Amino acid sequence: MSGQTFSPGPTANSVRDADGRVVTVPEGWVLLPPGDAGLTRRVKAAGDHWVVAERKGRKVFSRGVWAPSVTIERIRAELSSERATTGYTKRREADARRRDEAQSRYVEDFRGAVLAFLAFHPNHDDLADRLARAVTEHATPVGSGTVARTSRIPVEQRAEAAVIAWMRHRTTCYDGMVIPRVKGKRREVRRMLARRSQELLGQYRRGEPAGGGCPLRAALGVATSETRDRSDGGRPASEATVRKPAV
């Protein structure tokens, strides 16, 4: 029984196996919901359990772990006592500091990778700095779910993908486009918009003067206002104020 993975079943005490068959949960088992990683790890390590996960699109979401109720309650009590000790509190604080330090280093490394990818002409250093800051602030927060948080590709590729994604949403009409629900069509549109973004970046790399209607400058003006408003404790500027070019 141990370690099998199922999807949610049609009733509260059932699951579906990989072949779609409905399986009734064993008597005396309860569902431990997601949210307490430490408790979940120990319950899994303790013996028999069923993992429940649900796929939505390309993402998989945990729906909890089925296990004997006596096992869950025993481990929950043990963990509660352990967490009440001074030693546990100190370890948690030390872990938090290490995570914060690692995050700070990653933010700086990522921003450097963005600047390296942009490689703007010295005439546009200020714009490159503003764009790198805007992309980094959007893409690097823990839990943001952006490409910057993946470890499957090098940071240089993450930086490039994050810049193109930021420009797609901020300098084009992508968010308002009605794209046919045809396989591959959305990817085709994204590639087309990515080429346009690369062409725009190329102008700044060559040091060409930007026109007054440059969508990148307009988007960065709003991004700068958002940052300033948040630091002052005010409301972010509305993205609706950006005039995005027609596709």
Side-chain angles (χ1 to χ4, degrees), residues 2 5 23 37 75 84 102 120 130 151 161 163 193 217 242 247:
S2 182
T5 300
V23 182
I75 296 175
F120 282 3
R130 291 166 62 187
S151 58
V163 170
L193 295 177
R217 287 186 175 275
V242 180
V247 175

Side-chain angles (χ1 to χ4, degrees), residues 75-95:
I75 296 175
R76 180 180 282 122
E78 293 172 354
L79 197 53
S80 179
S81 297
E82 181 181 322
R83 287 171 173 173
T85 64
T86 303
Y88 178 83
T89 301
K90 289 182 177 179
R91 287 197 303 273
R92 292 280 293 177
E93 291 174 350
D95 289 344

